[in-house]
Amino acid sequence: MESRRGDSLYDEREGSIYSSGPQVLQRRPSRSSNQNYPQFNWDSDATVEDEDEEGPSEPDRELRNIPLSMAVKRAVRHAQQMQAASRVQRRARYLLRVKHNINEVRYFFTLWRKSLQKIGGNFGGGVQSYFLFLRFLVVLNFISFLLIAGFVLIPSIIFRSEGSSLVNSTGPEECRNYNPSSPGLLVFYSYFLDLLSGTGFMEYWYMFYGFYSNPMAGHNSFAYNIPLAYLFTAVFYFAFCLLCIIARMGSVARVAVATGGSSVGDYSMIVFTSWDYGCLGDGDTKLKQNSVRYWLQVELEEERLKKKTAALNMTRKILLYSVRIFSAVLALGLIIAAFYCIFRATVFSQERSGEGGILGLVIEYLPSIVITTGNFLVPLLCDQIAYVERYSPSTTIIVSLLRAVFLRLVSLGVLLYSLWAQITCAGLTDKCQLCGYNHELYQCWETRVGQEMYKLTLFDLLITITVLVLVEFPRRILVDNWSNKMTQFIGRQVFEVSSNVLGLVYSQTVVWAGALFCPLLPLLNTIKFVILFYCKKITLFYNCRPAQKTFRSVTSTFFFLVVLLFGWALSLVVMIYSVAVIHPSMGCGPFRSFPSMWAVVPTSFYGLPEVAQEFLFFIGSQAFSIPLFALSCVVMCYFIALASVYGKSVSLLKAQLKLEGRDKQFLVKQLAEISRRHQAPVY
């Protein structure tokens, strides 16, 4: 007995007594525990991932050291994995609840949520897509204003009194002469005229380029390079808008791919999956019913027109295409005539810009008046031409958008070309030889361009409110209270989505083109779009009737963004030309001491420490750019191949759905035929 006790080993950590013999290992009951098995920490997280990444964990080593059978160890390990999986599941459920709560809060604070739901239920998804597009532009402009305010406006306000030039101005004295303030007393209505035209007290304020006159601002050891911040903020502003448009296009494209087009299963998908079971109350239910009804109406109208077009013979097809070609030529002639009128009005306005009073205000607004008149009359005539072209509703919207966007964007390009022709002397170097620009007519040409964009934005808003009050409401009152053939022929107006969307694209393009010269233009456009939303909502519910022909909202929304991308590209050309080619004004603005706006970048670059210069040189060298380009090509090829595979899979699934639908139709016909044959006669 003594020898056996002497050979015994007591493991205090495990709380067990093990007897060691030459052949047999026998376990005796522990004096500190009444359990039949060793104690083990069941709360330990022994996962396979930890073992793979960092080797065996402490619980695994502890389990291996315990003398248990392999079956028991497997059971312990399985229990540990189940506990770890349950913790991962609890953590995943917690994160899912957090995400759900965030989505609920974001849904609650979504701008104009109830109004958009009501619009979609009463007038269909096509009209709703316009208001969704308007909301997107409101958010985009407001965030853009925050970007400009954070990097340009607020530093200029803080460091306004402390400024020092980066480079001494070496230009001639005549070129540096710029004094926008009006001396002496002013007539009381002149402030109102200055507010409308952007001159007077408005010209030398934070609204326009000429006010930002401190090249370098700072306090004690801190320095803020306002010219560099001004230029880079404009670049980041354009890049941010591009990213937002692309992200929006991606989300719309995913919806378009998910819903598909012209497949047999579309109607079934609408009937069985379009209802929202979260609708509570009679009002929400009625709105959803109307929305589904408009959706089905769009699909049936598209299918009817496709069948009608496919049934035409060769003679009718030739006649139809001839009519379409003639209509396109006629519409192009109207657009070119509008361009010529805009060019002449701009030249006349710039030559007579010294007039004062009401006549001077009319002359200054003459380009805006001609542009607005052309944008109203030419699309109206093109819409009448489109009636004889016999396109489907969605195609008609796209064709109208193409013509209107060509008119509006190119008219803006004609206006800017006319201004640049006056600023750069149109190739006549006599007036521009001294300063690099026409300093006699434009002492601060950036502010003049900004004033033109300011007037276009403000005039468009005033025209919208005027048409609502003086045209649309009287028309509705006349139609509702005076019944005769003329009022029945006129009827209530229909909300034209194409023309209204082009108005938004045109307004946003004006803001992009003028943001470099008028930094507060995004804020003004945000206020304008908010007012425009409520004006359009009022006229939609009180003055308009639902359209007899609707169109597919997903396709049109994607095309709206494509058109907006064209406007962004035009504005980018304007910014690049202004930054890299035209000489900045020597009497105003943060770039007065530089030969070009872009010259501030190399000047600031050589002021950086040597380490930063070497790093930036390496970023721009071939050793960095070529591998980056190769990697980008590989990633792009991968995503292109992935998209191709997904596209083929979607096409195969659609084809399979069509075949299954046809098989079911065939089986139903066969079943009906068999039932008819075996049906007993009725006497």
Side-chain angles (χ1 to χ4, degrees):
M1 181 67 69
E2 294 295 333
S3 62
R4 180 174 291 181
R5 289 183 179 177
D7 295 334
S8 300
L9 296 176
Y10 179 73
D11 192 346
E12 295 182 355
R13 183 185 64 181
E14 304 298 335
S16 303
I17 297 177
Y18 300 93
S19 60
S20 60
Q23 295 178 352
V24 180
L25 291 177
Q26 183 179 1
R27 180 182 179 276
R28 294 188 177 184
S30 172
R31 289 177 294 182
S32 61
S33 173
N34 294 325
Q35 301 293 333
N36 294 326
Y37 292 98
Q39 299 296 313
F40 185 76
N41 184 13
W42 292 83
D43 295 331
S44 300
D45 295 337
T47 60
V48 179
E49 291 79 7
D50 295 337
E51 184 176 355
D52 293 338
E53 293 177 2
E54 301 177 0
S57 62
E58 184 65 29
D60 292 334
R61 290 193 295 268
E62 184 179 351
L63 182 61
R64 291 177 181 178
N65 294 330
I66 298 176
L68 297 175
S69 63
M70 293 302 296
V72 176
K73 289 184 178 181
R74 290 192 186 99
V76 172
R77 183 62 181 269
H78 181 66
Q80 287 179 339
Q81 291 177 352
M82 291 181 63
Q83 288 181 352
S86 63
R87 290 189 183 93
V88 172
Q89 291 175 358
R90 287 197 298 270
R91 191 179 299 112
R93 285 195 296 267
Y94 173 74
L95 294 176
L96 189 62
R97 284 197 302 269
V98 171
K99 181 180 178 181
H100 180 68
N101 293 332
I102 292 174
N103 290 333
E104 285 185 348
V105 172
R106 188 179 65 178
Y107 177 77
F108 180 77
F109 288 102
T110 300
L111 188 63
W112 300 318
R113 174 172 52 87
K114 289 291 185 180
S115 298
L116 291 172
Q117 182 182 5
K118 189 176 180 181
I119 290 169
N122 286 281
F123 296 92
V127 177
Q128 186 187 33
S129 64
Y130 163 79
F131 288 91
L132 289 172
F133 187 62
L134 178 58
R135 184 181 66 180
F136 167 72
L137 292 180
V138 168
V139 177
L140 180 65
N141 281 277
F142 183 71
I143 297 177
S144 302
F145 163 70
L146 294 180
L147 176 67
I148 294 173
F151 290 97
V152 177
L153 180 62
I154 295 177
S156 298
I157 295 174
I158 294 175
F159 303 118
R160 180 66 183 171
S161 59
E162 301 180 11
S164 60
S165 297
L166 283 170
V167 182
N168 292 328
S169 178
T170 57
E173 185 67 25
E174 296 85 352
C175 301
R176 289 181 286 157
N177 185 17
Y178 177 65
N179 185 17
S181 60
S182 300
L185 298 176
L186 299 175
V187 185
F188 71 94
Y189 64 83
S190 62
Y191 292 100
F192 179 71
L193 299 179
D194 292 340
L195 181 64
L196 293 178
S197 60
T199 57
F201 76 96
M202 288 287 295
E203 184 172 353
Y204 201 67
W205 192 58
Y206 291 102
M207 177 67 72
F208 296 107
Y209 167 91
F211 183 77
Y212 299 89
S213 58
N214 288 339
M216 177 70 79
H219 180 71
N220 296 333
S221 60
F222 176 76
Y224 193 83
N225 194 337
I226 289 182
L228 191 65
Y230 195 99
L231 181 61
F232 278 2
T233 301
V235 174
F236 290 149
Y237 167 58
F238 273 79
F240 170 74
C241 292
L242 177 62
L243 291 177
C244 290
I245 295 172
I246 293 176
R248 183 81 172 182
M249 290 175 67
S251 62
V252 174
R254 284 194 296 270
V255 174
V257 171
T259 55
S262 65
S263 61
V264 176
D266 282 347
Y267 308 115
S268 300
M269 183 185 67
I270 296 172
V271 172
F272 292 106
T273 65
S274 61
W275 185 256
D276 184 7
Y277 290 94
C279 294
L280 300 176
D282 296 337
D284 293 340
T285 303
K286 187 66 176 177
L287 290 176
K288 191 61 182 179
Q289 288 175 352
N290 292 334
S291 179
V292 175
R293 178 170 62 87
Y294 280 118
W295 195 356
L296 285 170
Q297 182 181 353
V298 170
E299 298 293 338
L300 295 173
E301 181 69 15
E302 294 278 350
E303 192 68 24
R304 184 187 68 83
L305 289 174
K306 286 181 181 179
K307 291 182 178 179
K308 185 177 179 181
T309 304
L312 295 176
N313 55 24
M314 184 59 65
T315 305
R316 290 183 176 273
K317 286 183 179 180
I318 294 174
L319 180 62
L320 179 61
Y321 290 136
S322 301
V323 170
R324 288 178 179 178
I325 293 173
F326 176 76
S327 302
V329 173
L330 182 60
L332 183 62
L334 293 174
I335 293 172
I336 293 175
F339 292 162
Y340 179 76
C341 294
I342 293 169
F343 177 78
R344 297 305 306 171
T346 305
V347 173
F348 179 79
S349 175
Q350 297 300 313
E351 292 176 351
R352 301 286 299 275
S353 60
E355 298 287 341
I358 302 297
L359 179 60
L361 181 65
V362 173
I363 292 175
E364 288 184 356
Y365 267 91
L366 186 61
S368 302
I369 294 172
V370 175
I371 290 175
T372 304
T373 304
N375 291 337
F376 174 75
L377 292 179
V378 175
L380 186 63
L381 297 175
C382 291
D383 290 339
Q384 299 300 321
I385 294 173
Y387 283 119
V388 301
E389 293 177 326
R390 296 182 183 179
Y391 289 115
S392 63
S394 299
T395 308
T396 302
I397 292 293
I398 293 175
V399 172
S400 301
L401 281 172
L402 285 175
R403 291 170 179 169
V405 74
F406 183 72
L407 170 66
R408 288 179 178 257
L409 297 185
V410 179
S411 64
L412 182 60
V414 170
L415 173 64
L416 293 171
Y417 173 77
S418 304
L419 289 173
W420 283 332
Q422 297 291 321
I423 293 169
T424 58
C425 306
L428 301 177
T429 58
D430 295 338
K431 296 182 180 179
C432 300
Q433 187 175 6
L434 181 62
C435 303
Y437 60 94
N438 192 350
H439 68 282
E440 297 179 358
L441 189 60
Y442 302 97
Q443 295 179 350
C444 185
W445 65 266
E446 296 91 348
T447 298
R448 289 292 296 273
V449 175
Q451 287 172 350
E452 292 296 331
M453 302 299 107
Y454 171 82
K455 287 184 288 187
L456 286 174
T457 302
L458 192 60
F459 187 74
D460 188 49
L461 176 62
L462 295 177
I463 287 297
T464 301
I465 297 175
T466 302
V467 170
L468 173 64
V469 175
L470 300 181
V471 177
E472 295 177 354
F473 271 114
R475 176 179 176 177
R476 192 261 299 176
I477 294 172
L478 185 66
V479 170
D480 292 348
N481 297 282
W482 190 20
S483 179
N484 55 26
K485 292 184 179 180
M486 184 183 71
T487 56
Q488 291 178 358
F489 176 76
I490 295 175
R492 281 197 174 191
Q493 68 178 22
V494 178
F495 192 85
E496 297 291 340
V497 178
S498 60
S499 59
N500 284 281
V501 167
L502 259 296
L504 297 180
V505 174
Y506 169 74
S507 299
Q508 187 60 44
T509 305
V510 169
V511 172
W512 282 332
L516 182 65
F517 315 110
C518 184
L520 296 186
L521 203 56
L523 176 61
L524 179 63
N525 204 41
T526 303
I527 299 172
K528 171 189 171 181
F529 281 163
V530 171
I531 297 173
L532 188 64
F533 179 88
Y534 289 104
C535 290
K536 293 297 182 181
K537 179 184 174 182
I538 290 172
T539 191
L540 180 66
F541 281 99
Y542 290 96
N543 302 329
C544 296
R545 57 180 173 85
Q548 296 179 355
K549 294 183 179 181
T550 56
F551 55 93
R552 202 185 307 269
S553 60
V554 175
T555 306
S556 301
T557 303
F558 185 81
F559 191 75
F560 296 163
L561 295 170
V562 173
V563 172
L564 185 64
L565 197 60
F566 288 156
W568 179 89
L570 175 63
S571 304
L572 182 65
V573 173
V574 174
M575 188 191 73
I576 292 175
Y577 184 78
S578 302
V579 168
V581 178
I582 305 181
H583 195 290
S585 299
M586 298 183 183
C588 67
F591 304 99
R592 62 178 67 185
S593 302
F594 298 96
S596 65
M597 293 184 184
W598 184 254
V600 69
V601 176
T603 302
S604 302
F605 173 78
Y606 288 112
L608 293 174
E610 186 176 355
V611 177
Q613 293 184 24
E614 292 179 355
F615 175 75
L616 293 177
F617 270 124
F618 173 73
I619 294 295
S621 64
Q622 296 179 357
F624 180 81
S625 59
I626 293 178
L628 180 63
F629 178 74
L631 180 62
S632 302
C633 291
V634 171
V635 173
M636 185 174 64
C637 291
Y638 168 75
F639 281 108
I640 290 174
L642 195 64
S644 177
V645 172
Y646 286 158
K648 291 179 180 179
S649 300
V650 170
S651 300
L652 291 175
L653 290 174
K654 287 182 178 180
Q656 185 177 358
L657 285 175
K658 289 182 179 180
L659 292 176
E660 290 182 357
R662 291 171 183 173
D663 292 342
K664 290 179 181 179
Q665 292 175 3
F666 175 76
L667 292 175
V668 168
K669 290 180 180 180
Q670 291 293 324
L671 182 61
E673 182 68 21
I674 294 173
S675 299
R676 185 181 62 83
R677 289 178 180 178
H678 291 82
Q679 186 177 9
V682 178
Y683 297 99

